[in-house]
Amino acid sequence: MVSSWVVGLTSLLLSATNVVATGGFPPVTSPPGACGLFPADASCATVFEACVNTLQNKADPYSSEVCVAAASCYPTNPDSFLSNLFCRIQGPTGNPPKSADIPRVPPSILGNILVRGEFASLQSYTSWYNRVVTSVNPNATVLIDPAFVKMSFDIILAWTGFCSNGEVPAGNLGDWFQFFSTVTGPATTCNLVPNCPITFYPYAMDLTVTCARQQNAVSNPFSIQSCVAAALNWHDGVDSFLQALTCRYNIINNGNVAVPASNSLPPLSFNLPVSNSPPYTQQNFVDFTYGSVTAIGTSAARYPSTIDFVTRTWASIVQWTNFCSTGAVPQQNLSDLLQYSHVALTGTCSAVTCTPDANASCNQLFTACLSSSTILTDPYADSNCVLAATCWGGGINAFGNAISCAKNTQGKNANPQFWPRLTQAVFNTLGNSNTGIISQQNYIDAFYGALGKLSSPIWPDVNYVIGKWTTIATWAKFPNGNIPYGNFADWLTYSAVA
């Protein structure tokens, strides 16, 4: 039987409701297809996909418990759920059924949601929903967003008009599945989950839910991999992330912890697990984000649907931290961003003017270096690049950053420590191939010889060239200026600063 208040409302308000169910769909990165997208929430996507794959009786979708779960969480309303479901089952042509016209949820399934067969509570709905998700895919259990589940029940509770006691009678619960799509209820929310942000970027949500399950998630989030990855990828800013995190942490732990102020939290103490030490590059951030999703440890975790989401986020991080010239962000500045940026990052770097070297001849060698076919993979395979590295003001790291700026790589592969080592063959074009030594005179000859191959070379004072060689010889601890191949190669890799 349909409850009496719904019968009355049906005759008066048989029109589409303005209420939109919790959750949503992921950002569109390509044509979504005739049937649209799966829900953004991990658990809802899990039960919806299972419904598509297992529904036996198309005339009675609610005869499947997993389809009932999917209808209860699906964004917008059950009619939209049925439209997407039947599009995937029978193709985009044809008319999908309406929830008001299909058989009601059977008592055998409805009873699984109820307390003593009488009413549904938040606890009984949550237990039932979590059980259904786990039965479909145990790997998805850890990704169930407790706030999303609570929001889903909140909509049912509000529509049926039982905000005051939080208990939805069996008949009214059945009515929701039948009439929510077409009949407006007495309320749209009972505010069970106030101030609990949600994101429709699935990978960011999965990381946030994972973070919220950690013991120190609220007190020291920037020491935990999933929390750091979630905070940096939360598109609405760090304050919104902390609000979302604390809300879920409190639901999981049945607590009432206050949302922390980001600038009162301990600074970033988690080093991104990447191959190089900071500063971090765009590639480091991409690797860290994807690696953090993998570290969740379940095959149900979702990766970014396009790398562009991650690279655009990094572009805003670079702009906020003011490292547009290199695209590489030190650990301390990344920590500052987590503590002090607060709001959504929307800026990106404008066109950057790269700073040339103060010495015109060194800058000419650098320009020649940039034309090398291996400039982005193996700079030291080109003798012009080797010579430019030896004279560049600020040392080899500054030289690597200058290449990154000139090639607009946002700091990718800018650290010479991770470039291929100088080969003996290239060394032999600069030094003495018979002795394996490069002397001051060899260096002077190589420097002027390289300039001589350029059009309109600008000749430096020889004392400038000698000064550069003295710096290298001092670092290599060969004060006589005769440096073996290995030590010269070490300088190019490890000297770090001039």
Side-chain angles (χ1 to χ4, degrees):
M1 292 291 292
V2 178
S3 59
S4 59
W5 77 265
V6 170
V7 172
L9 283 173
T10 302
S11 63
L12 296 173
L13 300 171
L14 195 57
S15 59
T17 176
N18 291 325
V19 177
V20 177
T22 189
F25 300 97
V28 176
T29 58
S30 60
C35 299
L37 301 169
F38 272 37
D41 178 78
S43 63
C44 197
T46 296
V47 291
F48 177 72
E49 183 176 18
C51 173
V52 171
N53 294 332
T54 63
L55 179 62
Q56 298 294 318
N57 187 352
K58 297 177 184 177
D60 187 6
Y62 288 157
S63 64
S64 164
E65 187 169 31
V66 72
C67 292
V68 174
S72 76
C73 69
Y74 192 85
T76 62
N77 55 52
D79 275 0
S80 295
F81 155 73
L82 290 170
S83 178
N84 197 336
L85 171 64
F86 276 81
C87 178
R88 295 177 188 279
I89 291 176
Q90 62 189 21
T93 59
N95 296 317
K98 299 296 184 182
S99 56
D101 300 327
I102 63 175
R104 289 171 68 84
V105 178
S108 59
I109 293 177
L110 209 61
N112 292 335
I113 313 174
L114 303 176
V115 177
R116 299 186 301 274
E118 300 173 7
F119 60 86
S121 65
L122 172 61
Q123 182 177 349
S124 69
Y125 172 80
T126 300
S127 298
W128 167 77
Y129 181 84
N130 290 357
R131 177 184 61 77
V132 174
V133 172
T134 300
S135 69
V136 169
N137 183 1
N139 290 320
T141 304
V142 296
L143 300 178
I144 296 175
D145 177 5
F148 174 82
V149 178
K150 197 170 183 178
M151 291 173 190
S152 296
F153 183 74
D154 178 81
I155 290 171
I156 297 172
L157 190 65
W159 186 87
T160 54
F162 291 95
C163 290
S164 59
N165 65 2
E167 299 176 353
V168 182
N172 300 80
L173 181 60
D175 291 344
W176 185 89
F177 288 96
Q178 206 87 33
F179 300 110
F180 176 72
S181 302
T182 52
V183 178
T184 301
T188 59
T189 179
C190 297
N191 290 313
L192 293 183
V193 201
N195 300 320
C196 197
I198 194 168
T199 180
F200 300 141
Y201 290 86
Y203 64 101
M205 198 70 253
D206 289 352
L207 288 166
T208 302
V209 170
T210 301
C211 167
R213 299 185 188 281
Q214 306 304 310
Q215 181 178 358
N216 297 325
V218 176
S219 61
N220 193 9
F222 306 142
S223 67
I224 303 169
Q225 178 172 355
S226 58
C227 300
V228 174
L232 292 174
N233 282 284
W234 190 270
H235 286 72
D236 292 323
V238 175
D239 284 358
S240 173
F241 163 73
L242 291 173
Q243 184 79 44
L245 168 64
T246 306
C247 166
R248 288 160 176 82
Y249 181 87
N250 282 331
I251 294 173
I252 292 169
N253 295 285
N254 194 28
N256 191 30
V257 177
V259 179
S262 59
N263 55 327
S264 69
L265 288 169
L268 175 65
S269 59
F270 178 83
N271 294 323
L272 275 59
V274 294
S275 59
N276 57 278
S277 58
Y280 299 119
T281 66
Q282 174 183 281
Q283 188 60 51
N284 292 153
F285 183 63
V286 170
D287 292 344
F288 171 62
T289 298
Y290 280 75
S292 296
V293 173
T294 300
I296 293 174
T298 172
S299 59
R302 283 84 51 85
Y303 293 91
S305 57
T306 172
I307 196 174
D308 290 347
F309 289 152
V310 185
T311 56
R312 284 201 294 266
T313 297
W314 182 250
S316 293
I317 291 173
V318 168
Q319 190 272 341
W320 190 93
T321 54
N322 198 27
F323 283 92
C324 289
S325 62
T326 65
V329 180
Q331 175 96 355
Q332 180 59 55
N333 299 83
L334 205 58
S335 180
D336 289 345
L337 179 138
L338 289 168
Q339 290 188 291
Y340 303 112
S341 63
H342 299 297
V343 298
L345 305 180
T346 57
T348 55
C349 296
S350 56
V352 176
T353 301
C354 301
T355 304
D357 190 81
N359 184 273
S361 59
C362 187
N363 210 53
Q364 282 190 314
L365 290 172
F366 178 72
T367 300
C369 162
L370 292 176
S371 65
S372 168
S373 61
T374 62
I375 184 62
L376 296 180
T377 56
D378 187 6
Y380 292 154
D382 186 282
S383 59
N384 285 320
C385 293
V386 174
L387 291 167
T390 65
C391 65
W392 196 263
I396 59 170
N397 278 0
F399 172 68
N401 289 335
I403 293 176
S404 176
C405 181
K407 293 297 184 179
N408 194 28
T409 64
Q410 293 288 299
K412 181 179 179 181
N413 200 29
N415 190 337
Q417 185 176 343
F418 299 97
W419 293 348
R421 187 173 173 83
L422 175 71
T423 65
Q424 183 77 54
V426 175
F427 174 83
N428 289 343
T429 66
L430 306 174
N432 189 318
S433 60
N434 294 322
T435 63
I437 297 292
I438 181 171
S439 66
Q440 175 179 288
Q441 190 59 53
N442 293 146
Y443 176 70
I444 293 172
D445 292 344
F447 201 97
Y448 281 89
L451 287 171
K453 296 176 183 178
L454 306 179
S455 60
S456 304
I458 301 173
W459 304 107
D461 186 286
V462 70
N463 289 320
Y464 164 80
V465 182
I466 291 173
K468 293 297 181 182
W469 186 248
T470 300
T471 297
I472 298 171
T474 300
W475 184 93
K477 294 182 171 53
F478 283 89
N480 63 1
N482 298 321
I483 305 176
Y485 156 71
N487 301 82
F488 183 65
D490 286 346
W491 184 89
L492 289 168
T493 301
Y494 302 114
S495 60
V497 293

